[in-house]
Amino acid sequence: MKWKKDPYFDSIDSIHKSLELKPLISLKNFFISSSSFPDENYSIPISDISKKGSNFGINYKVAVFLRKYPSFFQEFKGPLYNLPWFKLTNEAIELDKKERMVYAEFKDDILERVKKFVLMSGSKKVLPLKIINYLHWYLGLPDEFLNDPFDYIKGYECFRIVEIEDGLKGLAVFEDNNEKILSMMQRNAMKRGVYNGGEDESIAFPLFPSQGMRLKQKIKDWLIEFQKVPYVSPYDDFAYLNPDSDLSEKRVVGLIHEVLSLFVEHAAERKAFLCLRKYFGLPQKVHRAFVRHPHMFYLSLRNNTCTAILKEAYCDDVLTSIEPHPLANVRKEYIRLMSESDVMLRNRRWSNSRRSFDQENVILKDSGSVELV
């Protein structure tokens, strides 16, 4: 099946500007956590961060990055030696307060998503902390979890920090055996009255064909039969499955669907799934699942990367219900503020060019008057 470009999914800013927003949020958090001047909008000298660009995912000069976003960071001359300092704008501080309120108010919801994420790891119900930290942006976890996960999960008895192989620390979930975790697919199918929760029941995946996409007849026939294959919950044990069977593929597709439904933007870089292969029982060539099911997932090639998008989350349909992440709206507000930087820089360039033009006219007039004399 040939990949087909879909302008709608390629134009979703909340997805494609998320990669650009990530270092911005990291820098904003650094300003707040390290500044000695909270009353002065968390001012810090450029020397405090000039050599820490790699910590924030910035591969060029940090000062250039900060000046690229005047709606977030305001530059001024420092108290000594006229060195450049930066501080957060009032708008950035207000959004930070809103973000922290979301983290506090929806902490249970965020950790419930992390719990489900860990429960998809098979019978052991444990994931290395380094994997959760690597995916923390997609899971919507705050810096408090990264700095001290033990303190962050304190009071939540279902979580434990445990030692796993090779000296790694992992996050384990001790679930109630009487509690059955239902996937998003199962809950939606129950709402539609087409699924009772029994074993070997099939659930047809909701399909959202892109405009102009045509499948060969043999692929259509296979897809019809594939929809009839029993649904395997991503929270069930998968050790007994034949990895080359349609049943195993349906589990893999359902697991990817569930993972993306838990993420903030319901999308992620395709390579992010590579670190989950060992723990989630994914095939070595997991990328084939996205290619073989283009009516469920869209692969966007914007920003020189391959981003997997769950179509269902962005297609209006009364029969579907992907729960939005609590952090999604705050990130959209951050992206809107980020877009204001483009306007500010454009106005600044126009003002500078206008000033330069006026100065040239003055010089020409002065030189002309001399010639007349």
Side-chain angles (χ1 to χ4, degrees):
M1 287 177 284
K2 294 183 178 180
W3 175 83
K4 182 172 178 59
K5 183 180 178 64
D6 192 320
Y8 170 69
F9 292 104
D10 282 330
S11 62
I12 302 175
D13 283 346
S14 60
I15 294 175
H16 301 294
K17 290 193 175 181
S18 176
L19 293 177
E20 187 179 350
L21 179 63
K22 184 179 178 181
L24 254 178
I25 299 298
S26 297
L27 267 173
K28 180 265 299 178
N29 292 342
F30 180 83
F31 270 71
I32 291 176
S33 62
S34 62
S35 174
S36 303
F37 306 98
D39 295 335
E40 299 178 11
N41 288 23
Y42 303 97
S43 307
I44 60 174
I46 187 59
S47 57
D48 283 4
I49 51 175
S50 58
K51 297 182 179 180
K52 298 179 180 179
S54 59
N55 296 345
F56 309 111
I58 302 171
N59 55 9
Y60 54 95
K61 288 185 177 181
V62 177
V64 175
F65 184 89
L66 293 172
R67 289 170 182 142
K68 187 180 176 182
Y69 300 100
S71 60
F72 275 82
F73 309 104
Q74 183 178 346
E75 184 177 2
F76 64 99
K77 294 294 183 181
L80 296 175
Y81 310 114
N82 288 330
L83 293 177
W85 281 51
F86 289 88
K87 63 182 178 181
L88 296 179
T89 62
N90 293 329
E91 294 81 2
I93 293 174
E94 289 303 313
L95 274 182
D96 175 78
K97 293 178 181 177
K98 185 178 293 188
E99 179 186 10
R100 293 178 187 278
M101 287 177 60
V102 170
Y103 279 131
E105 185 177 351
F106 294 95
K107 183 176 181 179
D108 291 346
D109 182 285
I110 292 172
L111 284 179
E112 180 65 21
R113 291 169 183 267
V114 175
K115 175 184 174 182
K116 290 180 178 180
F117 189 69
V118 175
L119 286 176
M120 283 187 272
S121 60
S123 57
K124 293 184 178 180
K125 313 297 183 188
V126 60
L127 278 178
L129 280 173
K130 69 174 185 178
I131 288 181
I132 297 176
N133 291 343
Y134 175 67
L135 299 173
H136 81 277
W137 177 255
Y138 301 120
L139 289 166
L141 290 169
D143 283 359
E144 286 79 4
F145 179 89
L146 302 180
N147 298 332
D148 191 348
F150 182 82
D151 183 68
Y152 189 77
I153 64 173
K154 189 182 297 182
Y156 292 84
E157 297 181 357
C158 63
F159 291 109
R160 299 283 191 283
I161 303 294
V162 298
E163 296 283 343
I164 55 179
E165 72 273 10
D166 301 328
L168 294 175
K169 289 188 179 296
L171 182 65
V173 172
F174 293 85
E175 60 176 330
D176 184 356
N177 294 329
N178 296 323
E179 180 186 8
K180 181 175 176 58
I181 303 294
L182 297 177
S183 68
M184 186 70 67
M185 281 292 304
Q186 289 172 313
R187 294 201 300 274
N188 288 339
M190 286 181 172
K191 290 178 182 178
R192 300 196 303 268
V194 297
Y195 180 71
N196 297 317
E199 294 185 4
D200 296 330
E201 279 193 79
S202 65
I203 300 178
F205 290 118
L207 304 180
F208 302 89
S210 293
Q211 188 175 3
M213 176 176 284
R214 299 290 183 267
L215 301 183
K216 294 180 180 180
Q217 188 59 46
K218 65 177 182 179
I219 297 177
K220 291 180 180 179
D221 295 339
W222 169 81
L223 184 58
I224 292 172
E225 294 302 317
F226 180 79
Q227 292 282 51
K228 299 176 183 178
V229 173
Y231 176 81
V232 181
S233 171
Y235 302 107
D236 292 344
D237 186 24
F238 54 83
Y240 70 94
L241 296 177
N242 179 357
D244 296 323
S245 64
D246 279 353
L247 186 63
S248 179
E249 180 170 349
K250 190 150 188 178
R251 176 201 166 261
V252 169
V253 174
L255 185 143
I256 293 174
H257 179 283
E258 184 72 2
V259 169
L260 290 177
S261 70
L262 296 176
F263 285 173
V264 178
E265 286 90 19
H266 309 304
E269 288 185 86
R270 188 179 62 176
K271 66 180 181 181
F273 286 87
L274 298 179
C275 67
L276 299 175
R277 289 182 306 182
K278 175 181 176 181
Y279 299 95
F280 282 17
L282 298 175
Q284 184 175 7
K285 296 183 178 180
V286 63
H287 61 274
R288 285 185 176 178
F290 300 106
V291 177
R292 286 168 60 85
H293 299 273
H295 291 348
M296 290 184 62
F297 311 111
Y298 178 71
L299 293 178
S300 174
L301 303 181
R302 272 190 61 180
N303 302 321
N304 296 321
T305 187
C306 187
T307 302
I309 303 171
L310 181 61
K311 283 187 170 184
E312 183 180 352
Y314 294 93
C315 293
D316 294 332
D317 195 309
V318 294
L319 299 180
T320 63
S321 177
I322 300 295
E323 297 174 1
H325 195 284
L327 205 61
N329 286 332
V330 176
R331 285 194 182 172
K332 288 178 182 177
E333 291 189 46
Y334 273 123
I335 289 173
R336 281 194 288 271
L337 181 62
M338 187 170 64
S339 299
E340 290 181 15
S341 292
D342 296 333
V343 178
M344 294 173 68
L345 291 174
R346 196 181 307 120
N347 291 339
R348 190 178 297 173
R349 286 193 295 269
W350 183 87
S351 177
N352 291 338
S353 62
R354 181 69 181 178
R355 188 181 302 112
S356 176
F357 178 77
D358 291 341
Q359 290 175 349
E360 289 178 1
N361 282 342
V362 170
I363 294 174
L364 288 174
K365 288 180 181 179
D366 291 344
S367 61
S369 62
V370 171
E371 290 176 359
L372 288 174
V373 172

